[in-house]
Amino acid sequence: MRQTRLVVLAVFSGLGMLASSCGYNVMQQNEEAVFASWADVEAAYQRRLDLIPNLVETVKGYASHEKETLQGVVDARARVGGVSLGKEALNDPAKVAAFQKAHSDLGTALSRLLVVVENYPALKANENFRDLQNQLEGTENRINVARVRYNKAVETFNVSIRVFPNSITNSLLLHLARKEPFKAEEAAKVAPKVKF
């Protein structure tokens, strides 16, 4: 009887050690980190979207005849609002690419708007505009930091579902799919030209 108990205890101890090293919990934690990082990216983008109407209205007051540029920003913002990416779609490269493209177009429209501003010295000196511009610059930095953190979380997660013995646990129990990181845009491969 005592020997049977020892065998049962040894079997359960062995199973416990095996289960603790299978990576099940680690993969779940890593996937949750990806989702949390994605939420940070979305929050940074939302901050940008919230600032844009104020920026456009401020510029509109000074440069009412720059309708085309202002309308481009408004239209790009509307397109971004129509593209959402839930955490379920983070492993779909096409959906991630569409989301990135919409936000890239918005960034391009904002750049054109800031070039227009260069032609209006009174606007550049306006305290409200400077505050908005500083907030927008800070937001762009936050977006970049959030993207970097998201990519790091994706890397950690993707590695965790591919390494042994986690890969076995994933294929048998979890069936977690690889997540898509942010990728550089094609335009980012060409350095901007500065002319004086």
Side-chain angles (χ1 to χ4, degrees):
M1 181 81 160
R2 182 177 165 104
Q3 207 172 20
T4 306
R5 282 186 180 167
L6 287 175
V7 169
V8 169
L9 184 62
V11 167
F12 278 116
S13 295
L15 287 175
M17 289 185 344
L18 182 64
S20 69
S21 66
C22 72
Y24 183 90
N25 290 335
V26 170
M27 288 183 283
Q28 301 265 350
Q29 290 168 341
N30 289 343
E31 186 175 42
E32 289 303 316
V34 168
F35 296 152
S37 296
W38 181 250
D40 291 343
V41 170
E42 287 183 319
Y45 277 139
Q46 185 61 51
R47 186 174 196 278
R48 177 207 263 174
L49 290 176
D50 293 343
L51 285 173
I52 288 172
N54 297 328
L55 183 63
V56 168
E57 287 303 314
T58 302
V59 173
K60 203 184 276 186
Y62 278 85
S64 59
H65 60 282
E66 297 289 352
K67 275 187 170 180
E68 184 180 321
T69 302
L70 293 168
Q71 192 60 46
V73 172
V74 171
D75 291 346
R77 182 182 183 274
R79 282 192 301 275
V80 164
V83 178
S84 64
L85 189 65
K87 61 185 179 183
E88 306 83 32
L90 292 177
N91 48 355
D92 185 345
K95 289 181 180 176
V96 172
F99 184 85
Q100 268 186 269
K101 170 96 171 78
H103 280 280
S104 174
D105 291 348
L106 179 58
T108 301
L110 283 173
S111 295
R112 283 194 305 268
L113 177 62
L114 294 176
V115 167
V116 166
V117 168
E118 293 296 318
N119 295 325
Y120 299 93
L123 176 58
K124 288 192 302 187
N126 178 286
E127 187 176 325
N128 291 335
F129 176 76
R130 281 185 295 166
D131 289 346
L132 281 171
Q133 194 173 18
N134 288 338
Q135 287 183 31
L136 196 55
E137 181 181 338
T139 298
E140 295 301 317
N141 289 336
R142 287 178 182 160
I143 289 170
N144 188 50
V145 167
R147 284 176 179 168
V148 168
R149 287 181 181 158
Y150 170 75
N151 280 352
K152 185 62 180 162
V154 166
E155 176 189 10
T156 300
F157 171 76
N158 287 345
V159 168
S160 77
I161 65 172
R162 296 180 70 199
V163 296
F164 182 82
N166 295 9
S167 59
I168 294 171
T169 302
N170 188 40
S171 65
L172 295 175
L173 299 175
L174 296 173
H175 310 290
L176 299 173
R178 185 179 175 279
K179 306 298 183 210
E180 280 299 310
F182 268 98
K183 296 178 181 122
E185 303 165 25
E186 284 298 315
K189 294 179 181 178
V190 178
K193 295 179 182 174
V194 178
K195 296 181 182 178
F196 293 103

